[in-house]
Every structure is written in C-alpha cells, then in structure tokens.
Amino acid sequence: MTNKVVNFFKKMVEVLFSFQSLQKGKILIIDEVPYSGSNSYSFYRFLKGSNESLKVELLRTDPKKKVKSYLKRIYKIKGSQIVITSHGLPCLLKRKNQVMIQFWHGIPLKAMGLMDRSLTTNSKKDTIKLWNKTDVLISSSKTYNTLMNACVGIYKDCYVITGFPRNDYLFAGGKLDKLLSKFGQRIDGRKVVLFSPTFRKGYLNRTEGVTRDKNIFGFENFDSVKFNEFLNKEGILFIAKLHPIEEEFYKEIYKNDNFRNFLLLTSDILSENDIDLYEILPDVDLMISDYSSIYFDFLLLDRPIMFLAPDLKEYENIRGFLLNPYDFWTPGPKVSTQFQLENYITQMLSGEDVYSNERKKIREILFEYQGGNSSERVFNQVIKRYLKSYVQGGSR
C-alpha cells in the first residue's frame, strides 16, 4: 500500500477513537526507545515519585504486535489531555484542547528532517505539517531552538528552555555497580570507558558509513585478543552500547565477546535491570562516540571524550552534518585505527586532558542549565500551567 492509503486508514482510526471523552488532566507519556537515554521514562519516574495524585500513564509499544500496539496507542492518545513523546508527533490528528509536548531525544549534530538531503520534497512538507501540531518543545538553549527549527520548521513560539529530563541522571549516583553485580562483577577501581556510537544501519533501509560486520568499531583491521590484553593490562572496564536501531543487527554477533574487562551492553540487559543508559554515565571516566547526541549531554560532566570516526567523509556525503566544522563541535581527539584508540585511551585516562577549554565552549553554547533538576523545571514551567488551565477552564 502507498503512504497515502496507509495515512488515510490511520486518520480513519484516529477519527473513530476521537469520539471517546478526553480525560481531564490525564498525562500520557510515550516511551519509544526505553532505557537508551529516554527523556520520556525519566520524566515519568519523576512524576510518579513527586505527586501520587497525578493521572499519569506510561505507554510502550510491542514491536511483535504491531497492529494491536498501534490501536492501543491511538486509543490511549485520543483519551489523554496531555501527550508527551520524544520521537515526533505520535498521531496524525490532534484533538481540540489536547496538548502535545515534545521532549525529542538529543541535540542534533547530523542532518535530519528538513536538513536531510535524502528526503523528498513531499516528506519535508509532511514534516512541517506534523511538527507544527506541537504545543511545547522542551529545549536546552536558544542554540538548540535554532537547530531544531532548521530541521522541523516550526513557525510558532513553542520552545521552553528547561534542560532535558534524562540529564538529571548525570547528577545522581551511578548505577553501574548494580548492573555489574548481575554478572558477578564490580568496578573495583577500574577506569570505565563507554563506547556509544550512532547507527549506520537500520534507518530508511540504507547504510550510512562503515558497518560493524568485521568488528564492533568498524575498523578495517582489528585484533580483539590484543585489545582485551590491553584492557586487562591497563585496568580498564570497556563498555560498548550500540544504538537501539543498530543493536539488533549485531548483538548476536558480539554477545560472546563479554569478558571481565569488555561488556557489550544491550537494551535487554538495561531493561531487565530497570536501569537507563544515562544512569551509568556518572560512573564513566571516558566516553568514545562519533556522531551521536549522547556526547553533548556527557559534556555536562566535564570528562574526556574521544571521537571514533573512520568514515567521516563518507558519512558526511551520505547523511551530512547540521553542525560544521566537525572538529570544532567534537572536543576531543579523532581516531581511526586500533593503535590510535589504545594510545589515546591510555593518555586520557592518565590525566592528559588538553580539550577541557574546547568542551567548555560547546557546553556553554548548548546548555543554559548545566546542573540537574530539569524534570522539576519541566513540571513547574509546563505541566503545572496546563493542569491549572484544565482545573480553571475545564475541557471538552
């Protein structure tokens, strides 16, 4: 079926479910990608822990039951007065007196939406149409407002600068030891390195840059035995967490690579332990990333970051970047071989940190608030406002 036919049936379903009454003050929080830095789930936890009288519901979809999950999703959305999401508007039609709050899921470095050169003109028109149904878009700074607007084309003033709920985890106690205990381990004085890249496969049925078929880093040449010896010698716990979109392609390939000093952290492991990826970031001494938004948030901890980008030119040609030049926006050394990777890990964990000023520059550009309490600000500046209006004016 064509997209037009699919959207027609979706609209009919939404119209049908719109005949139910709208529950006054009902807050529906949609968690699209659980445990991988979810703004939705972290805010849900905050609301459940701060006010038991609130009518709050968390909604997750079951990818194995697509039709049933879709119908349940639309039914829940059409009956809720406040709908919070982090992955685009969750429906095609918004009801009158319904509020759509967008958390999104990261500061964009790579091109997306209107800036993605691969999208058609019609797709970009649909992007503008859907995103302009957003009532509130949670932001970290005025710079973030500009970046997002370049990608989604919102022509109304809906940005509220509060910081992102998931970043509250950075300023709480880390939960890595709790997670490791499931494997019979602890940190035990080891330095912790987290490798958290963005995806290359799984988006729009295309491949963007190098794949991880040969090794988890995408290097042309890599000796896993030598790397494990390096980790043991240096006393390093190396954690690799692939993007949820890409994880399904590789978790079976590398599941047996878990050693004492190397852990392939999957969404399943995080889910089983009810721990979000961001809840282990306080325990991380060094992050390695590429084009993923996670490194922007990690800047708030002011710890070293390394960038593994062996496919930089290829990725830029295929996907493109929203922020240029890449070197300015990525405050850390760039590596493309195993030798460079091991060499810089040793240097940076020994205290040789020459990128502190560069990190500070980017941090101050992108974050108006550089501490915790983002969830509290969202509640006080946004949720309270709409809940108050429902009490005073009622709803239809």
Side-chain angles (χ1 to χ4, degrees), residues 39-204:
N39 280 314
S40 292
Y41 189 44
S42 59
F43 190 63
Y44 171 76
R45 282 176 170 177
F46 169 81
L47 290 183
K48 294 298 288 185
S50 62
N51 194 329
E52 294 182 359
S53 65
L54 291 174
K55 292 186 285 186
V56 184
E57 181 177 357
L58 183 73
L59 177 64
R60 287 173 175 157
T61 55
D62 185 348
K64 297 178 181 178
K65 301 177 181 178
K66 291 185 178 181
V67 175
K68 185 177 180 180
S69 288
Y70 170 73
L71 294 176
K72 176 183 177 182
R73 174 193 184 98
I74 298 302
Y75 176 78
K76 295 287 186 181
I77 289 171
K78 295 304 175 183
S80 303
Q81 205 137 33
I82 299 177
V83 179
I84 297 174
T85 184
S86 60
H87 281 76
L89 196 76
C91 58
L92 297 174
L93 305 171
K94 188 177 76 170
R95 295 185 67 178
K96 186 177 181 181
N97 295 318
Q98 194 170 43
V99 178
M100 294 289 175
I101 299 175
Q102 173 62 254
F103 282 154
W104 199 235
H105 51 272
I107 297 171
L109 171 73
K110 56 197 177 190
M112 66 177 195
L114 303 181
M115 302 300 288
D116 188 340
R117 62 187 62 152
S118 70
L119 295 185
T120 65
T121 300
N122 285 336
S123 294
K124 293 183 178 183
K125 287 181 180 178
D126 289 341
T127 295
I128 295 173
K129 186 184 300 182
L130 284 173
W131 275 85
N132 275 282
K133 294 176 183 177
T134 301
D135 295 292
V136 176
L137 203 158
I138 297 303
S139 170
S140 65
S141 64
K142 291 182 179 179
T143 302
Y144 178 79
N145 299 356
T146 302
L147 293 174
M148 284 299 294
N149 231 49
C151 297
V152 301
I154 295 178
Y155 47 77
K156 56 185 177 181
D157 184 13
C158 66
Y159 294 92
V160 180
I161 299 175
T162 59
F164 305 124
R166 67 184 182 184
N167 286 343
D168 290 348
Y169 291 143
L170 304 181
F171 304 96
K175 293 186 177 181
L176 181 55
D177 263 335
K178 177 183 176 182
L179 189 68
L180 291 175
S181 68
K182 304 299 180 179
F183 299 89
Q185 290 196 44
R186 293 185 62 81
I187 299 174
D188 287 334
R190 289 176 290 177
K191 292 291 186 179
V192 179
V193 177
L194 174 66
F195 174 50
S196 185
T198 193
F199 56 87
R200 301 300 194 282
K201 295 172 65 173
Y203 176 67
L204 298 180

Side-chain angles (χ1 to χ4, degrees), residues 357-375:
N357 289 335
E358 284 77 3
R359 291 198 304 272
K360 181 180 179 182
K361 289 177 186 176
I362 306 303
R363 187 169 61 245
E364 292 185 345
I365 291 172
L366 295 176
F367 295 99
E368 182 166 316
Y369 298 101
Q370 297 185 20
N373 303 317
S374 294
S375 292

Side-chain angles (χ1 to χ4, degrees), residues 5 11 16 29 33 37 56 81 102 104 110 127 169 202 220 234 240-242 246 268 296 334-336 345 362 388:
V5 174
K11 287 180 180 179
L16 178 64
I29 300 178
V33 186
V56 184
Q81 205 137 33
Q102 173 62 254
W104 199 235
K110 56 197 177 190
T127 295
Y169 291 143
E220 185 64 31
E234 297 295 329
K241 174 63 177 76
L242 299 181
E246 194 174 55
D268 291 338
F296 284 128
K334 315 302 184 291
V335 303
S336 57
I345 287 177
I362 306 303
K388 184 177 180 182

